[in-house]
Amino acid sequence: MTSTGPIELAQTAKRDSLQALESKYQARWEAERVFEVEAPSIEECKGLSPSQIQEKYPKWFGNFPYPYMNGSLHLGHAFTISKIEFAAGFQRMLGKRVLFPHGFHCTGMPIKAASDKIIREMDMFGEDFSGFSQQEEAEHPPHPAPTATEDDPDRATTEGTSSAPATVSNPTQTPTARVDKAKKGKVSAKATGLQYQFQIMESIGVPRQEIKKFADPYYWLEYFPPICIADHGLFGSRIDWRRSFLTTDANPYYDAFVRWQTNLLYRLQKIKFGERYTIYSPKDGQPCMDHDRSAGEALGPQEYTLIKMPVADFSSSSKAIFDAAKDKLNGRRVSLVAATLRPETMYGQTNCFVSPLIDYGVFAINDQEAFVCTYRSARNMAFQGNSVEKGKVTQLLEINGKDLIGTKVVAPFCLVNNGEVYVLPMESILPAKVGTGVVTSVPSDSPDDYATLMDLRKKAEFYKIDAHWASFDPLPVIGTPEYGEMTAPALVQKLKINSPKDAKQLAEAKEIAYKEGFYNGTMLVGDFKGLSVQEAKPKVRESMIQKGAALAYAEPEGNVVSRSGDECIVALMDQWYLDYGEPSWRAQAEKLVAKMETYNAETRNGFEGVLAWLNKWACARTYGLGSKIPWDSQFLVESLSDSTIYMAYYTVAHYLHGNLDGTKPGLLNVKPEQMTDQAWEFIFRDGPYPTDSDIHKEYLEQMRHSFSYFYPFDIRSSGKDLIPNHLTFCVYNHAALFSESKWPLSMRTNGHLMLNGQKMSKSTGNSLTMRQGIEKFGAGATRLTLADAGDGIEDANFDEKTANASILRLHTLISWCEEMENEKSKLRTGEKNFHDKVFEEEIKALINTTYKHYEATNYKDALKYGFYELQTARDWYREVTSDVGMHTGLIHYWIRISALLVLPIAPHFSEHIWTEVLKEPSTVQNARWPTPSSPPDQIILDAGAYVRGTLKSMRDAEVTLLKKMGKAKGKGATYDPKKAKSVRIYVATAFPEWQDTCIQVVKEAYDEEKDKVDDVKVRALLADRGLGKDKRAMPFVQAFKKRMSQFGAATAFNRTVPFSEIEVLQQIAPYLKKSLGLVDVIVFLGDEAQSKGFSSPILDSAEPGSPAFEYYNV
């Protein structure tokens, strides 16, 4: 993907004029309350079944993950939102009642953590931060900037998921989904100069004098949602804002909803209590939540598989050390242990690495085992039950890494050298980083391992190792479509990595290798050969643990330090958790996913892979914002557990409250305390009417009716990185709490959004918020560019050059439409000619093609055919009718269609054309899809394509001749193209016999079921029929196969031309003369031309549907 970098707009007059129109129409839509929608009344639905209601009053309900309210929406948000926004526009055109709502997520730790930092900074620098100076900065080391506040380009399509709970992580998720958030916060701060939270607030536009207000976490909830709403207004989003709300107890209605959901899950035994991993301070003797930390806010546990590699034969230097410590070891078996996120790759171990610069400990785990690892990792193990005494580290001896080099260990599940491999040096291992200081090596799938192993082989003498220790070749373990069976070697070669010191390239290679292996990999060896990596990963891990070859192990995602200065660890603690993965619940979730539309195989595979490994998720925390767990009020419902079924809340929100925080009553004037669990049960689960409720029964029935009408939701759009958590949690909770008839109908995921071919990053200046994009390019150009960015699960790209070009295109198109309508009296009227008919049928065909792409949520292609190709058809029509003029009726029709086909994507443009140019009285937002009155006439379309193809061939032939004449100085030319000339066009009525033979051969070699031609059989049949050595045969066959792939086998084999070539060519003869500068155009049938003695070789090249032509001077 080409990288261009941000651009500066040289002139803005056209953009400014478009923005003025956008503001005008946005104000109109708001004033007319165009996007507010209600279910049909209970009276209107009386006597109708649910299916009859939907048939008579069709609806569409689309939504996306509500964004986290610690900053403005960025362009990545806009990209994901656009998928629902464009769909909402299209569904409105189909006459449906379209519900597109938008909530605001405030649950979790990041807002509270950031507000606590502001409090600390005010203590350090004063309320106005005037005491801040570089000297102060040196005296008070800054805390890391929270990544939830910083733009994180790696998560540019998410809802602010860095606010996700730091409680339980799964060891089998893709390694690249984990980010060292504390480190990333520091890096971001240094890269941008934002060392403190108050600086970050200033960088996102908060005036310094107002920053002190953000010390109250609830002020964030007042400040950012209105900005978000305003941004959507500028974008032209079709949102029903009456249904918006804040999460947390800031809105007592939503708080009641979450408490009902939590109580229900508890009652259904989906929420349980037991040991789970948590961040813990041994010094303080308690869990260390975010507010207790001086470093590492928002970091949680990361679970690994701890691979045990028992020593088979000590190196000479280590043998002496261990022999001297026999009494301390007391018969314990010594194993080197390595923490891995990729247990599925262990079949390919060729060695393990230690650092010769690290002093390792040998720690007693129990009476039978002792582990070689760093003290930091042993400390984590001690609080997870892997020590002689829980919470106590028992170190038996210390040994330097260089003494371990050359030790032979038994690598579990390893298929290399019967599992016996050697310990080798790797100086890049750091003791303070994650892991145990011991690294298991799989060079087939780890670029770092491969690069280090190759370096050791080249420089065995330099590293003072026996060459045999590094002699085991990489073993294929995982196959991928992109990199084959040896991902790491392929990437090292592709990225031109020459040594382990090529850190930047290796980091890139590692990310690619891990993602490719996890998402697209297939196991090549082992008990789970043939399974996808996503399926095999948890199975391999479970098998290793069951066989005693590995242990479950966890440690913090990054460095976490308590306020007391203690380096925190991960401990197993009792806590509340959702029992995801429980077999019967998982079966329900799998059934839901099987029924649900996912739009592409990658998304479905993602869900199926996550369901295969996801289990127990801690749903409570003690710090942050949120709703309290009803039966244990010391805990809050964490941020991914209060956002799984809130889509149902949208259907009734406006009845309950009239503003975001619920301080203003809604349409039914219901009080929050009236919304009991029984009331929610009545609304959402067809529960009995709560007889003790003081809510009018008709009010509860109205809310239940609204829910029943709009649910299930039709589509949820999200970034693909939410499949492993939020989206799968949504699936689980809907499966548990709602009847099958209310299960989600579809979920659509997209890739991350890049900007100008690069990841978005504030530090490089390659970054845009949603508002910045709209202010720079206007809403229309921004929306067109988002549509053009891409629709698949792969990363998309917002190209500023495309956005800039869209400004000119929109402005020019508006001007042209206005001009045509103003001067329509000058256009032609009366009977339609050949070109008119072709143009009309092309418009019809483009309407139908565009419809299919909108229906499939392929907005890039919808834009291509409904906007760009539609204009291309107009341009051709304008050119071919330049001599006689365009037909006024068709131009009016085209302008109307141009406004409608792009309406879902560019409504401001469409509104202007609809109301100002076409003078329609009502808003275009209520317009219907322009279904053609009759299907496109394929014969006329074929004739139009024939004209274009013929003209192109004639032009190409002349260009080719001019080039030849230039090279040969005019020799061999049959005419001089620079002098007056005419053309004879020869039309064939039948194909040459040799071509018919070739086509018959292809037909016989074609496998209809596989849709494939057997080339070997083709060659054999051609030889049998005397065409094996004919130089014309194979090129013709290849061209014919290309036609088969373009138009389908049935069309290709049917070689008849459905129109009269003679008539078509005679009708376009005036245009040919004008466009090609010809004196005359004469059309002959082949037989007629032959009888007149015209050139035989040229005549022979004519085929039905592909005429030959001969220029000559006159």
Side-chain angles (χ1 to χ4, degrees):
M1 191 173 289
T2 305
S3 172
T4 58
I7 65 171
E8 294 294 330
L9 303 190
Q11 297 180 352
T12 62
K14 291 182 175 63
R15 179 205 64 188
D16 296 344
S17 68
L18 290 172
Q19 287 178 325
L21 294 177
E22 290 163 1
S23 297
K24 173 183 173 182
Y25 299 126
Q26 288 159 7
R28 176 185 180 180
W29 299 333
E30 183 178 359
E32 294 181 10
R33 305 171 76 165
V34 172
F35 308 126
E36 294 180 8
V37 62
E38 295 289 356
S41 68
I42 293 175
E43 187 63 31
E44 287 175 311
C45 298
K46 197 171 183 179
L48 300 176
S49 67
S51 61
Q52 288 173 328
I53 292 171
Q54 289 300 324
E55 185 177 351
K56 188 173 182 180
Y57 307 106
K59 66 87 186 176
W60 180 89
F61 177 11
N63 52 72
F64 74 102
Y66 45 24
Y68 194 71
M69 285 295 99
N70 64 345
S72 298
L73 299 181
H74 52 65
L75 207 58
H77 284 116
F79 179 60
T80 296
I81 291 165
S82 73
K83 305 306 180 187
I84 295 299
E85 166 62 18
F86 299 157
F90 175 63
Q91 296 294 331
R92 288 180 66 91
M93 298 183 76
L94 303 184
K96 297 180 183 179
R97 301 188 186 212
V98 167
L99 175 56
F100 177 16
H102 188 309
F104 301 97
H105 198 199
C106 310
T107 309
M109 299 187 297
I111 287 175
K112 184 67 169 69
S115 66
D116 285 351
K117 287 177 181 178
I118 290 172
I119 293 171
R120 296 202 294 271
E121 290 167 14
M122 288 195 299
D123 290 341
M124 293 162 59
F125 308 127
E127 280 195 357
D128 61 356
F129 308 97
S130 59
F132 172 76
S133 67
Q134 295 302 321
Q135 183 178 353
E136 288 283 347
E137 190 172 351
E139 292 172 3
H140 300 278
H143 43 247
T147 50
T149 303
E150 292 292 286
D151 283 350
D152 185 345
D154 291 326
R155 302 180 70 81
T157 60
T158 72
E159 54 175 327
T161 49
S162 49
S163 62
T167 47
V168 178
S169 306
N170 194 285
T172 55
Q173 71 184 75
T174 174
T176 52
R178 282 290 169 191
V179 178
D180 185 339
K181 296 172 188 169
K183 177 183 176 184
K184 189 166 184 63
K186 289 175 182 175
V187 169
S188 297
K190 289 176 182 176
T192 60
L194 306 180
Q195 298 295 332
Y196 290 94
Q197 186 66 43
F198 81 87
Q199 294 175 311
I200 294 168
M201 304 306 289
E202 285 185 310
S203 78
I204 59 175
V206 179
R208 180 173 284 203
Q209 65 270 19
E210 196 168 350
I211 293 174
K212 62 184 177 184
K213 297 179 183 178
F214 290 85
D216 175 4
Y218 286 94
Y219 184 70
W220 297 65
L221 283 58
E222 298 174 23
Y223 187 86
F224 285 111
I227 293 174
C228 178
I229 292 171
D231 290 351
H232 273 289
L234 293 172
F235 193 62
S237 298
R238 300 172 174 93
I239 293 170
D240 185 349
W241 289 110
R242 300 173 304 152
R243 300 170 184 269
S244 300
F245 58 88
L246 302 173
T247 66
T248 77
D249 55 3
N251 183 321
Y253 295 95
Y254 188 74
D255 185 56
F257 171 77
V258 172
R259 284 188 280 108
W260 161 72
Q261 175 192 356
T262 310
N263 275 329
L264 180 56
L265 288 166
Y266 185 55
R267 195 173 80 234
L268 295 173
Q269 298 186 341
K270 305 301 183 185
I271 294 179
K272 297 178 180 177
F273 192 71
E275 277 194 332
R276 302 303 301 151
Y277 289 117
T278 191
I279 303 294
Y280 184 83
S281 168
K283 181 178 179 180
D284 300 336
Q286 64 181 8
C288 185
M289 308 310 288
D290 269 35
H291 64 299
D292 297 319
R293 303 176 190 177
S294 63
E297 289 91 343
L299 294 179
Q302 169 67 67
E303 194 171 343
Y304 296 87
T305 304
L306 193 70
I307 307 298
K308 295 195 286 188
M309 293 175 281
V311 174
D313 189 12
F314 286 108
S315 65
S316 56
S317 55
S318 64
K319 188 175 189 308
I321 296 170
F322 280 96
D323 283 348
K326 275 187 178 180
D327 291 343
K328 292 181 180 180
L329 289 168
N330 196 24
R332 291 183 175 89
R333 187 178 188 183
V334 177
S335 297
L336 278 70
V337 288
T340 183
L341 287 163
R342 306 189 73 193
E344 73 281 4
T345 65
M346 292 301 102
Y347 299 102
Q349 297 172 85
T350 60
N351 59 280
C352 82
F353 293 118
V354 298
S355 171
L357 307 177
I358 294 178
D359 288 326
Y360 292 83
V362 181
F363 302 94
I365 301 303
N366 49 46
D367 292 339
Q368 288 81 39
E369 293 181 292
F371 288 172
V372 177
C373 57
T374 59
Y375 179 83
R376 188 190 61 79
S377 57
R379 191 165 173 253
N380 273 274
M381 292 179 211
F383 285 87
Q384 297 167 29
N386 293 319
S387 62
V388 175
E389 182 181 341
K390 187 170 183 179
K392 184 178 179 181
V393 178
T394 306
Q395 183 167 343
L396 304 176
L397 65 143
E398 185 174 275
I399 184 169
N400 187 271
K402 67 177 181 295
D403 293 315
L404 291 167
I405 294 168
T407 295
K408 184 189 290 185
V409 297
V410 179
F413 282 40
C414 172
L415 301 178
V416 175
N417 195 40
N418 296 318
E420 293 189 344
V421 298
Y422 292 92
V423 179
L424 297 175
M426 180 186 265
E427 293 185 0
S428 59
I429 298 172
L430 300 174
K433 297 294 182 181
V434 295
T436 64
V438 178
V439 177
T440 184
S441 172
V442 184
S444 58
D445 291 271
S446 167
D448 289 281
D449 295 347
Y450 181 76
T452 303
L453 182 62
M454 295 301 105
D455 193 53
L456 289 168
R457 284 185 176 185
K458 292 176 189 174
K459 305 173 184 176
E461 189 175 342
F462 173 81
Y463 288 110
K464 299 177 183 177
I465 65 167
D466 187 323
H468 173 66
W469 300 344
S471 64
F472 304 134
D473 290 329
L475 175 81
V477 176
I478 295 170
T480 67
E482 183 74 19
Y483 299 104
E485 297 183 351
M486 287 285 191
T487 297
L491 281 167
V492 166
Q493 182 178 3
K494 180 180 178 180
L495 299 179
K496 299 178 181 178
I497 297 168
N498 298 313
S499 84
K501 294 180 180 179
D502 293 336
K504 184 177 179 181
Q505 298 100 304
L506 280 168
E508 181 184 356
K510 178 180 178 179
E511 181 177 1
I512 294 170
Y514 282 16
K515 282 185 177 179
E516 182 72 14
F518 182 77
Y519 288 113
N520 303 317
T522 302
M523 298 299 296
L524 302 175
V525 295
D527 294 340
F528 308 104
K529 179 180 178 180
L531 292 184
S532 71
V533 168
Q534 294 188 51
E535 292 178 274
K537 183 184 283 283
K539 296 179 185 294
V540 175
R541 182 177 193 265
E542 183 182 0
S543 177
M544 295 187 87
I545 292 173
Q546 284 180 350
K547 293 177 180 178
L551 296 169
Y553 170 69
E555 56 183 52
E557 292 176 288
N559 187 40
V560 178
V561 180
S562 71
R563 287 186 177 277
S564 63
D566 187 28
E567 182 182 348
C568 295
I569 51 89
V570 170
L572 275 172
M573 304 285 292
D574 285 336
Q575 59 184 288
W576 295 106
Y577 64 89
L578 280 153
D579 197 17
Y580 297 141
E582 185 274 321
S584 62
W585 196 6
R586 173 180 163 181
Q588 278 185 296
E590 289 173 333
K591 183 178 181 181
L592 191 158
V593 169
K595 291 178 65 175
M596 183 174 71
E597 172 63 62
T598 62
Y599 300 96
N600 58 62
E602 293 90 344
T603 298
R604 182 168 302 282
N605 293 340
F607 275 114
E608 292 171 352
V610 172
L611 289 171
W613 61 252
L614 181 65
N615 58 24
K616 303 179 179 67
W617 181 272
C619 59
R621 60 162 28 110
T622 59
Y623 176 68
L625 303 180
S627 299
K628 291 182 173 63
I629 291 203
W631 62 89
D632 196 348
S633 59
Q634 65 177 313
F635 291 107
L636 299 169
V637 181
E638 61 85 31
S639 62
L640 280 175
S641 299
D642 80 338
S643 38
T644 55
I645 62 166
Y646 67 86
M647 314 89 201
Y649 187 82
Y650 283 132
T651 65
V652 300
H654 64 310
Y655 292 128
L656 299 174
H657 49 83
N659 59 358
L660 296 179
D661 63 4
T663 55
K664 179 182 176 182
L667 297 177
L668 301 181
N669 203 28
V670 175
K671 296 180 175 62
E673 58 270 20
Q674 293 177 291
M675 294 308 298
T676 62
D677 284 3
Q678 291 73 27
W680 294 116
E681 284 283 321
F682 180 84
I683 295 168
F684 293 129
R685 285 168 51 85
D686 286 330
Y689 174 71
T691 53
D692 60 347
S693 175
D694 55 357
I695 305 175
H696 293 302
K697 186 175 182 180
E698 58 266 31
Y699 289 176
L700 286 174
E701 287 176 342
Q702 178 60 49
M703 288 190 278
R704 178 159 72 177
H705 173 69
S706 180
F707 167 72
S708 296
Y709 174 73
F710 282 112
Y711 236 67
F713 62 77
D714 294 80
I715 184 172
R716 185 163 182 77
S717 176
S718 172
K720 64 183 178 183
D721 50 348
L722 297 194
I723 294 174
N725 43 67
H726 165 70
L727 292 179
T728 302
F729 296 176
C730 177
V731 165
Y732 260 109
N733 280 265
H734 275 82
L737 303 183
F738 296 111
S739 63
E740 282 192 39
S741 65
K742 301 303 180 189
W743 285 359
L745 296 178
S746 75
M747 291 191 188
R748 183 192 193 288
T749 64
N750 50 260
H752 301 143
L753 181 69
M754 295 189 291
L755 179 61
N756 303 314
Q758 298 176 326
K759 289 182 179 179
M760 281 194 276
S761 169
K762 278 188 175 180
S763 62
T764 63
N766 193 54
S767 176
L768 277 181
T769 65
M770 184 176 181
R771 177 169 294 193
Q772 287 168 342
I774 296 167
E775 288 177 344
K776 187 171 185 177
F777 300 109
T782 299
R783 292 170 68 110
L784 287 174
T785 311
L786 287 169
D788 191 60
D791 293 301
I793 201 166
E794 66 279 356
D795 289 352
N797 181 45
F798 185 98
D799 191 330
E800 289 192 334
K801 287 185 176 178
T802 300
N804 192 30
S806 296
I807 295 172
L808 177 60
R809 184 178 283 269
L810 286 170
H811 191 276
T812 303
L813 186 54
I814 286 173
S815 299
W816 186 84
C817 292
E818 291 173 342
E819 179 187 349
M820 288 299 102
E821 282 298 312
N822 291 335
E823 299 183 3
K824 57 186 175 184
S825 61
K826 299 179 182 179
L827 298 177
R828 177 168 48 86
T829 58
E831 189 177 347
K832 294 172 185 173
N833 64 25
F834 171 78
H835 298 299
D836 296 335
K837 292 174 183 176
V838 169
F839 184 44
E840 185 173 16
E841 297 308 315
E842 286 178 341
I843 294 172
K844 288 182 185 178
L846 287 168
I847 291 171
N848 292 345
T849 301
T850 304
Y851 180 94
K852 291 176 183 176
H853 288 302
Y854 274 129
E855 191 175 41
T857 72
N858 294 330
Y859 302 112
K860 184 180 177 74
D861 285 334
L863 182 67
K864 175 184 176 182
Y865 292 100
F867 189 64
Y868 296 116
E869 292 292 330
L870 188 67
Q871 290 171 61
T872 299
R874 178 211 58 182
D875 293 344
W876 172 260
Y877 175 64
R878 182 168 53 182
E879 181 182 342
V880 295
T881 58
S882 58
D883 55 339
V884 296
M886 299 181 289
H887 195 287
T888 184
L890 279 176
I891 291 304
H892 182 81
Y893 178 56
W894 184 92
I895 292 172
R896 186 180 187 86
I897 296 304
S898 72
L900 293 174
L901 295 198
V902 80
L903 169 58
I905 296 170
H908 305 89
F909 161 79
S910 298
E911 187 70 79
H912 183 73
I913 299 301
W914 190 253
T915 56
E916 297 298 325
V917 177
L918 299 176
K919 306 301 181 184
E920 292 285 351
S922 64
T923 173
V924 74
Q925 298 282 9
N926 295 329
R928 295 292 179 259
W929 184 262
T931 303
S933 57
S934 60
D937 188 321
Q938 192 59 48
I939 293 176
I940 294 178
L941 289 171
D942 289 343
Y946 171 84
V947 170
R948 285 190 179 91
T950 300
L951 180 63
K952 183 178 184 303
S953 297
M954 294 176 73
R955 281 178 174 158
D956 290 347
E958 189 164 7
V959 170
T960 302
L961 180 62
L962 286 168
K963 287 180 180 178
K964 283 182 179 178
M965 288 177 65
K967 289 179 181 178
K969 296 182 180 180
K971 294 180 181 178
T974 56
Y975 78 102
D976 187 344
K978 297 175 184 177
K979 295 180 180 178
K981 59 187 181 294
S982 293
V983 69
R984 288 187 285 265
I985 302 178
Y986 306 126
V987 176
T989 55
F991 292 96
E993 185 179 348
W994 68 270
Q995 285 189 11
D996 286 335
T997 303
C998 288
I999 290 170
Q1000 183 58 36
V1001 163
V1002 172
K1003 202 168 190 177
E1004 291 175 26
Y1006 174 63
D1007 186 324
E1008 188 174 355
E1009 190 174 319
K1010 295 180 181 177
D1011 191 25
K1012 191 175 181 181
V1013 175
D1014 186 338
D1015 288 335
V1016 175
K1017 190 173 182 180
V1018 166
R1019 289 189 178 88
L1021 290 171
L1022 286 174
D1024 289 345
R1025 293 169 197 186
L1027 290 173
K1029 294 182 180 180
D1030 192 321
K1031 292 181 180 180
R1032 301 170 298 174
M1034 282 312 294
F1036 176 79
V1037 167
Q1038 295 304 324
F1040 187 77
K1041 282 170 60 182
K1042 186 176 180 181
R1043 179 174 172 80
M1044 289 174 67
S1045 65
Q1046 286 178 325
F1047 304 105
T1051 302
F1053 286 128
N1054 179 13
R1055 303 183 78 206
T1056 58
V1057 178
F1059 54 85
S1060 168
E1061 290 184 68
I1062 290 281
E1063 288 181 15
V1064 169
L1065 289 169
Q1066 286 172 345
Q1067 288 189 63
I1068 68 167
Y1071 174 69
L1072 292 177
K1073 285 197 282 187
K1074 180 181 177 183
S1075 63
L1076 297 174
L1078 301 172
V1079 175
D1080 199 6
V1081 174
I1082 306 173
V1083 183
F1084 294 99
L1085 284 172
D1087 294 342
E1088 180 188 1
Q1090 214 158 26
S1091 68
K1092 292 181 179 290
F1094 294 132
S1095 174
S1096 182
I1098 294 177
L1099 273 172
D1100 288 345
S1101 67
E1103 301 170 10
S1106 180
F1109 45 87
E1110 184 175 22
Y1111 287 107
Y1112 60 96
N1113 291 121
V1114 293

